Amino acid sequence: MSARLLRIDAQQLIRGARHPLIKAISEKKVRKEGTIGRFFEALVALSLQTYSHVNNAELSHFRTANGDREIDFIVEGDNAIVAVEVKSSASVDSDDVKHLNWLAKKYPDYNIARIIITAGQNAYTRSDGIHVIPAILLGA
């Protein structure tokens, strides 16, 4: 519905078109994700907000004061913390997990679960302990 309201068709989304009304957090992120990445992250945010509410958990965003570290979502509930990154691609590389790994090293006493939600097909756990979960499995 968002794409329709912004008059962005499927071909424009596939090509990575960016609508002028959609603002980016950083130029790097816009070049990498474009409008479809924003839509994907918004869909995941809606899902996480719903699941957090049902489970009496708090959903927030994390960014250091100087802006050099950022985590898309933090879910906090009964003695559990989950750090969530969202990637609209199917693959995950070391650059995608650097902030999650930094958070785990910075706060080792909190035992923070780390996940990346992707547009991929397969769920797996990386060798660094980060869980990769396709968005399609969020409601499963």
Side-chain angles (χ1 to χ4, degrees), residues 74-90:
I74 302 290
V75 182
E76 296 179 74
D78 298 331
N79 300 318
I81 299 173
V82 180
V84 181
E85 278 292 319
V86 179
K87 300 296 171 196
S88 60
S89 66

Side-chain angles (χ1 to χ4, degrees), residues 25 29 41 58-76 81-85 98-107 110 112:
I25 292 171
K29 195 163 189 174
E41 190 170 314
E58 295 289 324
L59 182 67
S60 60
H61 174 77
F62 176 88
R63 182 181 294 162
T64 56
N66 64 4
D68 66 335
R69 305 284 183 181
E70 178 185 14
I71 309 275
D72 293 331
F73 302 101
I74 302 290
V75 182
E76 296 179 74
I81 299 173
V82 180
V84 181
E85 278 292 319
K98 67 183 177 184
H99 298 280
L100 291 173
N101 286 329
W102 169 84
L103 189 69
K105 287 178 187 169
K106 178 85 172 158
Y107 302 101
Y110 287 93
I112 300 168

Side-chain angles (χ1 to χ4, degrees), residues 51 133-140:
Y51 303 138
I133 302 170
I136 193 128
L137 294 180
L138 285 178

Side-chain angles (χ1 to χ4, degrees), residues 13-30:
L13 280 174
I14 291 167
R15 285 194 318 267
R18 292 183 261 313
H19 192 278
L21 294 176
I22 297 176
K23 297 188 180 194
I25 292 171
S26 71
E27 285 301 314
K28 178 182 175 191
K29 195 163 189 174
V30 169

